[in-house]
Amino acid sequence: MTALHLRGVVLPGEETRDLWVVNGRIRFTPVPNAETVVNGGFLVPGLVDAHCHIGISPSGNPTLEEAAEQAEIDRDSGALLVRDCGSPIDTRPLQERLDLPRIVRAGRHISRPKRYIRYLGVELEDPEQLLEAVAEQAAYGDGWVKLVGDWIDRSVGDLAPLWPDDVLVKAMKVAHDAGARVTAHVFGEDSIPGLLAAGIDCIEHGTGLTADTIAMMASSGAALVPTLINIELFPDLAANATKYPIYAAHMRQLHASVRDTVRTAVEAGIPVYAGTDAGGGIDHGRLVDEIEALHSTGMSRTDALAAGSWAARGWLGYSGIEDGSAADIVAYPADPRTDLSVLRSPTRIVLRGRIVR
């Protein structure tokens, strides 16, 4: 394989430097006869979609080939690492393809009957079955387990928790003992205290965070992936919920307050990462939209970019542009910390040391 040479400002730093790529790894020492593929501009660690679904589509569960096409769309947007937050199909074969983003899988959603989107998750009749299901998904996934923390309960006409607090404590221990982290889909307020008290590692969406639970979450160290572009769908969900007016009003209120909620979470020191919730109602390839949405809540451009690049990579156990690191690099003609729209126009995408664009 031909060695590659890249020169540019290496983010998150300010230094212009040369780097070489050999056998999929970055080197900071010169390599003879390397092909120069970037000469100027800015070099960013591969972008990260921290909440994505490779293997879900609005029309149903896609084939593995369709899931690969989804991954290609994400890759071409610069997202070279995705945390798949639940898929009904086995996407492990895609992890073997060198031309697709690195995929960190959370296995399948764990839910209750009639308390989540049909066919997507593992549905448990008895909440006590959660311990066994968590153990199974911890073994099946890549260090993450995905719970459905709340969903509409039609018997009460509003969002409600799925799991008793005492069961969550035991289930979290099962996951952590297996070396896995746990995240949960949460829209409303009521399930968050129990999840945090049980030791949850991450909250997805988090629109129901309050001042009290934000303080609790900041103390716990749990992360937040707010999926802001997904929250833009809440008014449509409310409009279609004519049988459940309390739920509809609740969803509209959560939508109206989400940017203030995320701003408060950021100010409290909660780690926040960029995730699109692509799959289902959100198209793949929209990570830049999410990064820009995070900036709109008050995050600096640099912090919003970090949430979708080097900070998210570190959170998921991957390094940035360092000597000896895997060569996942996106090159841009100008500084995205000054103008995030630059992220829409990469000049080179290098994945696993190979040029893919």
Side-chain angles (χ1 to χ4, degrees):
M1 181 185 298
T2 302
L4 305 179
H5 167 238
L6 299 86
R7 178 177 175 80
V9 179
V10 176
L11 299 191
E14 303 292 340
E15 181 182 1
T16 298
R17 66 181 309 162
D18 295 271
L19 58 91
W20 291 261
V21 176
V22 181
N23 295 327
R25 295 283 168 180
I26 296 169
R27 292 188 186 179
F28 284 168
T29 53
V31 176
N33 303 315
E35 177 188 0
T36 298
V37 295
V38 176
N39 189 6
F42 291 77
L43 305 178
V44 178
L47 302 186
V48 180
D49 190 337
H51 183 132
C52 189
H53 298 283
I54 305 293
I56 296 178
S57 72
S59 59
N61 300 334
T63 64
L64 194 62
E65 290 74 19
E66 291 169 324
E69 291 173 2
Q70 295 173 347
E72 290 171 354
I73 293 169
D74 290 322
R75 177 202 66 197
D76 291 346
S77 74
L80 306 185
L81 172 63
V82 300
R83 184 179 60 137
D84 187 299
C85 280
S87 173
I89 66 173
D90 186 353
T91 57
R92 285 177 290 185
L94 302 185
Q95 294 176 309
E96 300 173 5
R97 285 186 47 174
L98 300 181
D99 62 323
L100 296 181
R102 301 178 193 273
I103 303 174
V104 177
R105 298 162 40 261
R108 297 188 67 182
H109 303 76
I110 305 177
S111 66
R112 304 285 312 284
K114 299 182 180 180
R115 296 298 306 280
Y116 195 56
I117 301 168
R118 293 176 67 186
Y119 309 121
L120 290 189
V122 177
E123 297 183 353
L124 309 180
E125 293 287 346
D126 184 348
E128 292 290 340
Q129 295 175 298
L130 182 61
L131 280 66
E132 181 180 356
V134 164
E136 291 174 350
Q137 295 306 312
Y140 173 56
D142 299 321
W144 282 93
V145 174
K146 173 71 175 292
L147 306 182
V148 178
D150 71 1
W151 195 252
I152 186 171
D153 183 337
R154 290 165 178 80
S155 68
V156 299
D158 199 2
L159 296 166
L162 271 70
W163 314 104
D165 290 352
D166 62 327
V167 172
L168 285 173
V169 171
K170 292 182 285 187
M172 222 68 68
K173 185 177 187 303
V174 169
H176 292 160
D177 286 350
R181 290 185 278 182
V182 184
T183 193
H185 161 106
V186 182
F187 283 163
E189 298 85 354
D190 294 345
S191 66
I192 296 177
L195 289 165
L196 291 174
I200 195 84
D201 300 285
C202 183
I203 296 290
E204 311 297 324
H205 318 301
T207 44
L209 283 165
T210 64
D212 287 343
T213 51
I214 283 173
M216 187 178 179
M217 191 169 176
S219 297
S220 75
L224 172 65
V225 183
T227 67
L228 288 166
I229 62 173
N230 171 271
I231 307 308
E232 291 304 313
L233 301 178
F234 277 21
D236 291 337
L237 296 176
N240 292 326
T242 54
K243 293 182 180 180
Y244 306 101
I246 297 174
Y247 165 80
H250 196 179
M251 295 297 280
R252 291 188 181 98
Q253 177 266 315
L254 293 171
H255 172 262
S257 61
V258 65
R259 277 173 167 72
D260 288 338
T261 300
V262 174
R263 180 181 301 110
T264 304
V266 171
E267 291 172 350
I270 293 172
V272 174
Y273 302 107
T276 63
D277 206 359
I282 299 294
D283 291 337
H284 287 267
R286 293 191 58 194
L287 180 60
V288 179
D289 291 339
E290 184 66 21
I291 292 171
E292 290 181 333
L294 288 175
H295 173 54
S296 76
T297 70
M299 291 182 77
S300 70
R301 290 181 182 86
T302 298
D303 288 346
L305 175 56
S309 179
W310 55 87
R313 292 181 71 85
W315 179 57
L316 293 175
Y318 290 80
S319 55
I321 299 176
E322 302 171 11
D323 193 14
S325 294
D328 296 342
I329 305 165
V330 189
Y332 298 98
D335 191 346
R337 298 171 300 180
T338 302
D339 179 2
L340 289 172
S341 69
V342 169
L343 296 172
R344 301 185 185 280
S345 303
T347 54
R348 288 286 190 192
I349 297 177
V350 177
L351 172 62
R352 297 184 178 90
R354 300 165 179 257
I355 297 174
V356 294
R357 176 175 171 182

